[in-house]
Amino acid sequence: MMDPRWRPTVNEREFIEQALQSDLRVDGRRPFDFRKLKIAFGREDGSAEVELGETRVMGYVTAQLVQPYKDRPNEGTLAIFTEFSPMADPAFEPGRPGEAAIELGRVIDRGLRSPDGCLVVLFLSKSLSVEFNEDSRWCHRESRAVDMESLCVVAGKHVWSVRVDLHILDNEGNLIDAANIAALAALSTFRRPECTVSGDDGQQVTVHDSEVRDPLPLTIHHLPIAVTFAYFGDGNIMVIDPTYKEEAVMGGRMTATINSNGDVCAIQKAGGEGVMSSVIMQCLRIASVKAADITSKIKREVDDYTTEKALQKVKRTPALVAKKVNVPDVTMEESTHSALENQASKAPNDGQQISKDPPAIPNDGKHEDTKPMLTESNPEVKSVLNSGTAGESDEVKESRSPKSLIDAVKPKHRRKKKQHGNS
């Protein structure tokens, strides 16, 4: 085990033990109360951060295609890796993982990985039968939480290898439970890429991008929850979720991995003082209740995360409403177009007036621009103007001169008299 950074004195040890005999703890909790649990998820699928009191652990899941083991050609693999950073605890040293890191990874791996000959032990039975190996520490009762056969792509050729990295961010006691919850939360939100098998021999594997095809979640049958008990005195006093100071004083520890159905997936006794079987049975009953509560907490947080991610992928169509910026432009175009239509409709009358009695028009740029527009819009006006310019008579020419403007308004008989007198 690692060297604790806080070494209790004799008085501190006696104070903690006497408080536990009175069903009191240093942080104010009851003996069978967990600290406040918080679960947060990252932006990417398969990442989760768990806060159990002041203990913080981050889990991250990745997967890649590898060749399967020869004795398991149609099953994928699952591996747990832990990283103890000196930032989390001064007792952690960088470099190769120590004994505590290896123990933490194995305890979580036993609760998740699918082994040979998995058996389920029910805690409701009168006697608990467990099998230990030579060092009397590792229990051979393991869980089939993650379906490894669903990770097979081509039997004997390609399978998915799932890797869970657990980073200890802050060590304030009970790293096993916090790391177990972080691993389960990360696995519940992980999505592996979808792949298809093609080719003449059926050995060519195509991995599709997440934008082409939606990734697939892992097949998780149940959530094995690790509940750690700390024993004090002669093993008659036990508490759940020990803190860092309680771990420095405890005489022994046992971790029971149980799902919400009450099935014992794994048991690990990390040495120390012996514990009676009746105490172990009591611990398993308490652990089943705590496992059900933690399972509902994880599922609720995962459902909220999945719903939020699904809403982000929904493409909302914009409302069919004109923007405020475009409204003045549309109005101006319509007004200009209507003005041109009104001017074109009035062009024939104006053309007749010009041909009969043209007014005195000043020679400026505005009227010069108006004349071509009228001739192009009204063909009658264009014909009248052309006839006046090409083959017009002398009378018309005189009437278009400034001297004939006065005579143009006189009656016809006066003009005839005037012409007769001139003759």
Side-chain angles (χ1 to χ4, degrees):
M1 296 297 292
M2 62 182 179
D3 296 330
R5 65 178 179 181
W6 179 74
R7 298 180 182 274
T9 62
V10 176
N11 293 333
E12 290 173 339
R13 182 183 296 272
E14 292 180 354
F15 174 77
I16 293 175
E17 291 179 353
Q18 291 178 3
L20 292 173
Q21 291 177 359
S22 302
D23 293 340
L24 296 176
R25 304 174 72 171
V26 178
D27 55 0
R29 289 182 294 155
R30 305 293 295 177
F32 304 127
D33 292 343
F34 264 93
R35 288 175 290 179
K36 188 176 181 180
L37 176 63
K38 295 182 181 179
I39 303 175
F41 299 98
R43 295 182 179 179
E44 298 181 359
D45 296 334
S47 61
E49 182 178 346
V50 173
E51 295 184 10
L52 186 60
E54 296 181 355
T55 301
R56 297 175 56 197
V57 180
M58 185 184 68
Y60 188 75
V61 182
T62 56
Q64 61 179 352
L65 288 175
V66 297
Q67 290 184 355
Y69 295 111
K70 294 182 179 180
D71 56 342
R72 298 174 182 271
N74 60 342
E75 293 184 4
T77 60
L78 175 65
I80 307 294
F81 295 90
T82 57
E83 180 182 355
F84 282 48
S85 173
M87 181 181 64
D89 194 331
F92 300 154
E93 297 181 359
R96 296 183 60 184
E99 182 181 355
I102 297 174
E103 180 183 4
L104 176 63
R106 287 184 179 179
V107 172
I108 299 174
D109 182 70
R110 290 282 176 169
L112 297 176
R113 191 168 52 87
S114 58
D116 292 327
C118 175
L119 298 177
V120 176
V121 181
L122 298 179
F123 76 92
L124 296 177
S125 60
K126 294 183 179 179
S127 61
L128 177 65
S129 175
V130 294
E131 299 176 1
F132 294 92
N133 57 7
E134 295 178 358
D135 58 359
S136 299
R137 294 180 62 182
W138 302 109
C139 177
H140 288 283
R141 305 300 187 188
E142 297 173 346
S143 169
R144 293 184 180 270
V146 181
D147 189 1
M148 294 301 172
E149 294 183 357
S150 63
L151 301 177
C152 178
V153 180
V154 179
K157 294 293 184 179
H158 301 285
V159 296
W160 286 104
S161 176
V162 180
R163 176 189 174 110
V164 182
D165 292 300
L166 299 174
H167 302 274
I168 309 302
L169 304 179
D170 196 353
N171 179 24
E172 288 298 333
N174 196 13
L175 290 176
I176 296 178
D177 295 1
N180 172 261
I181 297 172
L184 292 176
L187 288 171
S188 300
T189 58
F190 175 69
R191 302 290 186 271
R192 64 174 179 84
E194 186 178 358
C195 53
T196 56
V197 180
S198 60
D200 298 336
D201 54 352
Q203 302 294 327
Q204 184 178 358
V205 178
T206 303
V207 180
H208 301 280
D209 190 66
S210 59
E211 297 180 356
V212 178
R213 293 190 180 183
D214 294 335
L216 302 177
L218 297 177
T219 303
I220 301 177
H221 300 296
H222 59 92
L223 299 179
I225 306 298
V227 181
T228 302
F229 295 86
Y231 299 100
F232 299 89
D234 297 334
N236 298 325
I237 302 175
M238 56 184 177
V239 296
I240 286 180
D241 186 20
T243 61
Y244 193 88
K245 294 182 179 180
E246 292 174 347
E247 287 181 347
V249 179
M250 68 182 181
R253 183 184 64 191
M254 185 187 75
T255 300
T257 305
I258 301 178
N259 58 17
S260 59
N261 299 326
D263 301 333
V264 179
C265 302
I267 296 178
Q268 187 256 355
K269 178 69 169 62
E273 299 179 357
V275 182
M276 298 178 61
S277 60
S278 60
V279 177
I280 294 178
M281 293 299 300
Q282 183 181 0
C283 293
L284 294 178
R285 293 187 180 92
I286 297 171
S288 64
V289 178
K290 299 300 180 181
D293 297 340
I294 297 175
T295 300
S296 61
K297 172 72 174 178
I298 295 175
K299 290 183 178 180
R300 183 169 59 255
E301 295 293 337
V302 171
D303 292 340
D304 295 342
Y305 170 80
T306 305
T307 304
E308 183 179 358
K309 293 289 289 186
L311 292 176
Q312 293 178 358
K313 294 181 180 180
V314 175
K315 296 182 180 179
R316 297 181 174 86
T317 57
L320 299 177
V321 179
K323 295 182 180 180
K324 295 182 179 180
V325 180
N326 296 333
V327 171
D329 298 337
V330 174
T331 305
M332 293 177 62
E333 292 178 358
E334 292 179 355
S335 60
T336 306
H337 184 68
S338 60
L340 292 175
E341 290 181 352
N342 295 333
Q343 188 174 2
S345 61
K346 295 179 180 179
N349 298 330
D350 296 340
Q352 293 177 4
Q353 293 178 2
I354 291 173
S355 59
K356 292 182 180 179
D357 192 5
I361 301 175
N363 188 8
D364 54 357
K366 295 182 180 180
H367 292 80
E368 290 179 358
D369 296 338
T370 306
K371 183 177 180 181
M373 180 183 66
L374 293 174
T375 56
E376 293 177 359
S377 59
N378 194 347
E380 298 179 0
V381 176
K382 184 176 179 180
S383 61
V384 171
L385 293 177
N386 292 334
S387 61
T389 55
E392 60 183 359
S393 59
D394 296 338
E395 294 181 358
V396 177
K397 290 181 180 180
E398 291 178 358
S399 64
R400 296 176 64 87
S401 61
K403 294 181 180 180
S404 62
L405 290 177
I406 300 174
D407 299 333
V409 297
K410 293 181 180 180
K412 293 182 179 181
H413 63 279
R414 292 185 179 181
R415 283 185 288 177
K416 291 180 180 181
K417 290 180 180 181
K418 185 177 180 181
Q419 293 178 359
H420 182 72
N422 294 331
S423 61

